[in-house]
Amino acid sequence: MRIIKSAIAVSLCILVNLLRGADGMVFYSMLAALWCVQMYRNNTLANAYQRIIGTIVGAAYGLAYILIYPMISASSWLGTVLEILCIFVSIVLVLYTTVLMHKNQTSYFSCVVFLSIIINHLGDVNPYLFVWNRFLDTMLGILIGVCVNNIRVCIRPDRKTLYVSGIDGILVDKENKISAFSKVELNRMIDDGLKFTVSTMRTPASLIEPLSDIHFKYPVIVMDGAALYDVKRSEYVKEYVISETTSNELVALMKENEMNPFINVIIDDTLLIYYGDSTDEVNRRLVESLRTSPYRNYIKREFPGDENVVYFMLLDSHERIEAFYTKLTERGYDKRLKILKYESYDYAGYSYIKIYNKNASKENMLIYLKENYGLENIVTFGTVSGKYDVVIEEDNFNKMVRLVRKRYEPFLPHFGRQKRAEN
């Protein structure tokens, strides 16, 4: 749409110039319009303001130069020296004026406007007319660019529904990156009023790394529903923790079976991960690969025993994980807690066990969001059939964003009413 809007803005500049009797300088209108057509509407307004200030400063100094030019112009070498000196002083003044105005980002445009006046049009019959037209055409281009970039093809966007998406295989690829299309479109819609968040087994640290540029306004569901995290404020909104008694029982059982747990606790909105010495090379590699992140806090010491555990994680060989899982079920922990067991994709021959509070689930967190954030509808996107409202084929990374866009901003009003009725 940015490409299409850019072409529309340029065409409108030509049309406006024709309506003015083709007396303007449409080239400058086009440049200003293109500068204002940005990916995000907030950037459009910032760029428009930047261009306006730059044009005013440059045009003012250009006009001042025109007024003093007759006094310094001469055919001798002295006149040439004075002219160069005046240009030197003028550029210094232009730049310093933007600094005094705390508008350093407008310096380039101010100089461009100033130089276009004194270099290309000083010899015109009426240079004052050029200054006026340069200013007027730039303002028209800015106005056209801002208006076009705020065109809405959808009459009634769906701002009542919270859209919730998974991450892996939907938003983030195997290289832990989000596509430029998904990032731009999500941010554009979120800035416009889209209610959007994600649900993942990842910790906030693992989520922030690939999605740090997304403009989240609603808390994200992390650690498979064990916690709700506000990315913008860097704080946990809600968490389901394992009781102190049960945590110490599990730690004792793990020591008894020579298991090496990673114990995740939340203290003052900071996730700490306790771990111990391990002779297992895979566990060492896991720690070395993750502890370098500034978002993770690994602590190599024994678990204190009096802190709220969000979840335990074990990574070991298939055989040892299977044996320990059997002991957990024999002692009835699978009835008291949420226990997940699955193979590792990164370490061949190894499996994970993750242990959470029994109430830790995406569904419970969605209920909390709906009740505490005034949400009317929730639509979920994921890769598992029967578990989500909309199933996305794994590794079809832009599909979810396209589907959200169709639901959020339908092209026709009746289509939007139909979708709201279905929800």
Side-chain angles (χ1 to χ4, degrees):
M1 284 305 298
R2 185 185 178 191
I3 294 172
I4 295 171
K5 287 180 178 180
S6 296
I8 291 173
V10 168
S11 301
L12 287 176
C13 287
I14 297 172
L15 180 60
V16 169
N17 187 54
L18 291 174
L19 293 174
R20 293 174 58 204
D23 290 332
M25 296 177 177
V26 68
F27 172 72
Y28 297 107
S29 295
M30 293 174 177
L31 290 181
L34 288 172
W35 178 252
C36 291
V37 177
Q38 296 290 317
M39 290 185 292
Y40 308 127
R41 291 192 177 98
N42 289 343
N43 290 355
T44 292
L45 296 176
N47 281 15
Y49 180 67
Q50 184 184 84
R51 194 82 185 210
I52 289 171
I53 297 299
T55 300
I56 291 174
V57 171
Y61 277 102
L63 183 61
Y65 188 89
I66 290 173
L67 293 173
I68 66 171
Y69 182 73
M71 294 182 284
I72 63 173
S73 61
S75 57
S76 64
W77 64 269
L78 180 59
T80 302
V81 171
L82 286 173
E83 188 174 345
I84 293 173
L85 182 61
C86 284
I87 293 175
F88 172 85
V89 172
S90 298
I91 290 295
V92 170
L93 291 173
V94 168
L95 293 173
Y96 193 59
T97 299
T98 61
V99 172
L100 291 176
M101 296 173 66
H102 303 290
K103 303 297 179 185
N104 304 46
Q105 69 276 14
T106 69
S107 300
Y108 172 76
F109 299 109
S110 298
C111 289
V112 168
V113 173
F114 171 74
L115 292 173
S116 68
I117 292 171
I118 69 165
I119 300 298
N120 295 325
H121 297 275
L122 196 59
D124 290 357
V125 175
N126 190 348
Y128 304 103
L129 182 61
F130 169 77
V131 174
W132 167 247
N133 282 330
R134 179 72 166 82
F135 174 79
L136 179 61
D137 281 292
T138 300
M139 294 301 111
L140 288 173
I142 291 171
L143 179 62
I144 290 170
V146 170
C147 291
V148 169
N149 211 45
N150 282 277
I151 291 173
R152 181 184 298 283
V153 295
C154 167
I155 297 177
R156 293 183 179 179
D158 179 12
R159 296 195 177 105
K160 297 181 180 179
T161 301
L162 176 68
Y163 295 93
V164 185
S165 173
I167 293 179
D168 295 288
I170 299 177
L171 262 180
V172 175
D173 61 21
K174 293 178 181 178
E175 296 181 355
N176 206 33
K177 294 180 180 179
I178 181 174
S179 73
F181 169 82
S182 292
K183 181 175 71 174
V184 170
E185 280 298 285
L186 275 178
N187 284 338
R188 180 186 63 79
M189 290 187 289
I190 291 172
D191 292 345
D192 184 61
L194 169 73
K195 292 178 170 63
F196 178 81
T197 191
V198 295
S199 176
T200 179
M201 290 184 70
R202 296 180 178 222
T203 63
S206 182
L207 174 144
I208 289 171
E209 286 169 350
L211 301 181
S212 59
D213 292 331
I214 301 300
H215 305 167
F216 288 110
K217 295 183 180 178
Y218 285 83
V220 296
I221 301 171
V222 294
M223 296 179 274
D224 206 35
L228 202 59
Y229 185 73
D230 189 323
V231 176
K232 191 174 181 180
R233 299 173 64 181
S234 299
E235 66 180 21
Y236 288 89
V237 177
K238 181 175 178 60
E239 62 262 6
Y240 290 107
V241 298
I242 301 171
S243 70
E244 183 178 325
T245 301
T246 303
S247 295
N248 288 317
E249 287 177 9
L250 289 170
V251 170
L253 183 62
M254 290 172 187
K255 283 184 178 180
E256 180 185 320
N257 288 270
E258 297 182 343
M259 305 298 289
N260 297 294
F262 293 90
I263 307 172
N264 295 259
V265 306
I266 296 176
I267 301 176
D268 295 332
D269 290 314
T270 301
L271 184 68
L272 305 179
I273 305 168
Y274 290 99
Y275 72 103
D277 275 320
S278 175
T279 58
D280 184 82
E281 181 61 26
V282 168
N283 273 263
R284 290 180 176 180
R285 283 163 51 196
L286 176 68
V287 173
E288 290 304 315
S289 66
L290 296 180
R291 69 179 303 167
T292 55
S293 168
Y295 302 111
R296 293 183 176 88
N297 302 278
Y298 280 83
I299 302 176
K300 191 175 182 180
R301 70 171 66 162
E302 189 171 338
F303 174 60
D306 59 350
E307 296 174 355
N308 294 325
V309 177
V310 184
Y311 76 98
F312 292 87
M313 186 184 83
L314 297 168
L315 175 64
D316 217 316
S317 65
H318 294 325
E319 295 76 16
R320 284 174 56 79
I321 287 292
E322 194 65 45
F324 188 71
Y325 181 77
T326 300
K327 289 190 178 182
L328 288 172
T329 55
E330 286 174 350
R331 300 196 182 195
Y333 282 110
D334 59 325
K335 304 293 190 300
R336 298 161 53 191
L337 301 165
K338 171 182 170 181
I339 304 177
L340 303 179
K341 175 175 66 72
Y342 57 94
E343 291 187 19
S344 170
Y345 293 106
D346 300 316
Y347 304 104
Y350 278 69
S351 292
Y352 288 100
I353 283 180
K354 290 185 178 179
I355 306 172
Y356 303 88
N357 180 297
K358 188 71 174 178
N359 295 318
S361 70
K362 178 195 71 178
E363 291 73 20
N364 284 338
M365 286 303 185
L366 289 178
I367 292 172
Y368 179 87
L369 282 171
K370 193 169 185 178
E371 291 177 349
N372 290 273
Y373 288 83
L375 304 169
E376 295 187 13
N377 306 302
I378 295 178
V379 176
T380 58
F381 297 80
T383 58
V384 182
S385 180
K387 195 175 179 181
Y388 299 92
D389 299 321
V390 181
V391 177
I392 306 294
E393 183 181 351
E394 193 167 356
D395 297 335
N396 193 348
F397 297 108
N398 292 326
K399 183 66 177 293
M400 181 276 296
V401 176
R402 289 194 175 98
L403 291 176
V404 168
R405 184 174 63 182
K406 286 182 180 179
R407 287 170 173 257
Y408 172 69
E409 47 185 16
F411 284 97
L412 299 175
H414 73 273
F415 182 74
R417 287 196 294 271
Q418 177 184 344
K419 285 295 180 187
R420 286 193 294 276
E422 290 174 358
N423 288 333

